[in-house]
Amino acid sequence: MLTRIEHLKSLLVNIGFEEKEAAIFLSILELKEAIPSTIARRSNVKRPTTYVILEKLQRKGLVSHVRRNDITYFRAVNPNLLIEEENDKLLKLKNALPEMIKLQNAFGTTPQLTIFEGKNGLIQIMEDTLTTKTGLLCWCDVDTAIDTILKDYFPTYLKKKIQKKIWLNGIFTYNKGGLRHKKYQKSELREVHLVPKDKFPFKNEINIYDDKVAIISHQDEIGVIIQNQNIADTQRAIFNLAFEYAKILEKDLLTKEDLAYLKSEDT
């Protein structure tokens, strides 16, 4: 009879993982967070090969890293993000998710900071926001966020968000993109209030959800997810305070032309 690890490894190989990739991915899940030498020992893969595979898994958006005191630690993404389609192979993987998540939670402490880089990394952050059970709170300069490497991805993200019926409260800077997002706020499941860009020049996009705070610097192509309930709750309280203030600022910000544009559709 196959062990739990052998069974999960077989499922991962069945959906396209190489055998050593599967071994290393599961070892990172089990360890929660580890340096390459520890991952190599647990997965029984030679250290030079482990470095190569970790790099491949990062490019695929399946593994992220964080540096502390000049030491690099690796973490695996949430196993839920492996599910993209409902076919026979992935259904087997979906059925195994409880075991994989149990494996992930069996060792170590809850991750506090995960760093993502490049297009695949930023997509992983955005996809993680779609797992929310509490809705999204978002600070953003829409023009800055959309005109990036994720430009082609955003329509897909929006479609998934609407399908999942995820509500978003947003504080966006006043510009063309912010106005467009306010105009279609009802159909796209959000409430948006605009603030002057000269006073509030948002350089990053921030999403607050569940026990997480996701911060993306689109121009730098890097982002982080901070997972801590107290941090998330405090950021949520700060956002809610700012959200009420944004409603007041917006009244003096919108022109007659803006109001006519906003009322022309989606009222």
Side-chain angles (χ1 to χ4, degrees), residues 24-143:
I24 286 175
F25 181 77
L26 290 172
S27 294
I28 300 173
L29 275 180
E30 187 176 16
L31 293 165
K32 198 81 169 197
E33 173 184 283
I35 60 176
S37 59
T38 302
I39 297 168
R41 284 195 300 272
R42 184 168 289 277
S43 61
N44 199 28
V45 176
K46 292 181 179 180
R47 192 182 299 185
T49 304
T50 296
Y51 279 105
V52 173
I53 292 176
L54 285 171
E55 189 173 326
K56 288 175 63 177
L57 291 174
Q58 283 192 102
R59 287 199 301 268
K60 293 179 179 180
L62 298 174
V63 166
S64 65
H65 74 274
V66 60
R67 286 185 66 82
R68 290 197 299 273
N69 299 323
D70 294 326
I71 299 175
T72 301
Y73 297 83
F74 289 86
R75 298 166 176 167
V77 300
N78 188 320
N80 283 293
L81 298 181
L82 295 176
I83 300 299
E84 294 292 342
E85 303 172 14
E86 286 294 329
N87 59 36
D88 192 45
K89 292 180 180 179
L90 289 178
L91 185 57
K92 292 179 180 178
L93 176 61
K94 187 174 183 179
N95 292 334
L97 274 176
E99 284 295 309
M100 295 181 72
I101 294 171
K102 183 178 179 181
L103 178 66
Q104 186 181 34
N105 292 333
F107 295 85
T109 59
T110 300
Q112 295 183 352
L113 176 67
T114 307
I115 297 175
F116 299 84
E117 297 177 324
K119 183 175 182 178
N120 286 338
L122 298 191
I123 288 175
Q124 287 297 329
I125 293 178
M126 298 305 295
E127 289 288 315
D128 193 70
T129 67
L130 295 175
T131 67
T132 179
K133 294 179 174 60
T134 61
L136 295 171
L137 306 178
C138 180
W139 312 74
C140 187
D141 181 323
V142 176
D143 283 353

Side-chain angles (χ1 to χ4, degrees), residues 128-137 164-169 207-213 229 232-233 236 240:
D128 193 70
T129 67
L130 295 175
T131 67
T132 179
K133 294 179 174 60
T134 61
L136 295 171
L137 306 178
K164 291 175 177 285
K165 299 181 180 179
I166 296 173
W167 185 264
L168 179 147
N169 282 351
N207 285 283
I208 305 162
Y209 57 105
D210 299 338
D211 60 346
K212 300 175 182 177
V213 178
Q229 190 66 60
D233 287 345
R236 189 173 285 111
N240 289 334

Side-chain angles (χ1 to χ4, degrees), residues 206-209 211-215 224-227 231-232 235:
I206 302 176
N207 285 283
I208 305 162
Y209 57 105
D211 60 346
K212 300 175 182 177
V213 178
I215 305 172
V224 299
I225 294 178
I226 303 169
Q227 184 173 12
I231 290 176
Q235 291 301 311

